Amino acid sequence: MQRTLIIFKPDTVQRRLVGQILQRFESKGLRIAALKLLQVDRPLGEKHYAEHQGKPFFEGLIDFITGGPVVVGVLEGNEAITVVRSMLGATNGAAAAPGTVRGDFSISKQNNLIHGSDSPESALREIALWFRPEEVVDYTIDGSQWVFGGA
Ligand code: IDP
């Protein structure tokens, strides 16, 4: 089991695509271990995207990620990091393959809807940046008692 950080960026929230895209991750078999909506401030945005500091798109990227609320979460499952990255598709929505989140919903390099951690090291760093330890919850999915219980 592996955990990865996902961010539904402000374009996803503004376009009311959070539910539709979250459904793809759940249908794939990933489990939600944490989820919250928040307004990102510049220091948090700059920490998250620290590796891009100095690049020509950096200031625009921070304007974008702080430009409206985001939904940030932790997903868990077998090879969650690679699975989420392959479901997202290429960074540039205009080039991303149909069938991927970006390929189906984005036509922009910057406004590409979802962030997903790119390595185990990034996932650990990013989960600790966005969540307190007690906000990431361990539980098991056991369907039938929740469907038939209490009948
Ligand atoms: P990734 O999100 O696919 O891992 P990164 O190269 O880590 O892509 O870039 C981080 C984010 O910065 C991208 O998701 C996108 O929002 C933005 N970005 C990357 N390259 C460009 C660019 O050339 N112009 C504008 N924004 C960019």
Side-chain angles (χ1 to χ4, degrees):
M1 280 297 201
Q2 190 174 56
R3 285 178 174 167
T4 190
L5 186 99
I6 53 161
I7 304 172
F8 298 81
K9 301 184 192 184
D11 52 337
T12 307
V13 176
Q14 293 296 325
R15 293 175 58 192
R16 295 178 291 187
L17 289 171
V18 173
Q20 228 182 112
I21 297 173
L22 185 58
Q23 177 152 51
R24 290 185 175 212
F25 296 133
E26 287 197 282
S27 298
K28 179 69 177 170
L30 293 158
R31 189 176 68 79
I32 300 166
L35 199 65
K36 63 185 175 186
L37 179 133
L38 72 154
Q39 174 62 50
V40 181
D41 59 19
R42 291 191 85 83
L44 177 57
E46 286 170 2
K47 268 188 215 151
H48 176 77
Y49 281 125
E51 67 172 296
H52 297 298
Q53 203 127 26
K55 293 185 184 166
F57 61 82
F58 183 74
E59 286 306 319
L61 179 58
I62 302 306
D63 289 344
F64 167 55
I65 204 72
T66 60
V70 302
V71 173
V72 59
V74 176
L75 296 178
E76 192 170 80
N78 302 337
E79 298 178 53
I81 294 169
T82 311
V83 166
V84 168
R85 294 282 294 184
S86 64
M87 290 176 75
L88 294 186
T91 302
N92 180 0
T100 64
V101 169
R102 290 163 174 174
D104 289 352
F105 296 109
S106 164
I107 196 160
S108 162
K109 260 189 200 163
Q110 176 189 267
N111 297 12
N112 59 7
L113 298 160
I114 310 286
H115 167 82
S117 305
D118 65 4
S119 67
E121 298 71 36
S122 303
L124 277 179
R125 181 187 81 83
E126 292 171 1
I127 292 168
L129 178 64
W130 290 86
F131 289 98
R132 297 192 305 274
E134 64 271 23
E135 290 181 302
V136 184
V137 179
D138 232 347
Y139 63 98
T140 50
I141 301 258
D142 48 356
S144 60
Q145 70 154 314
W146 294 96
V147 176
F148 300 116

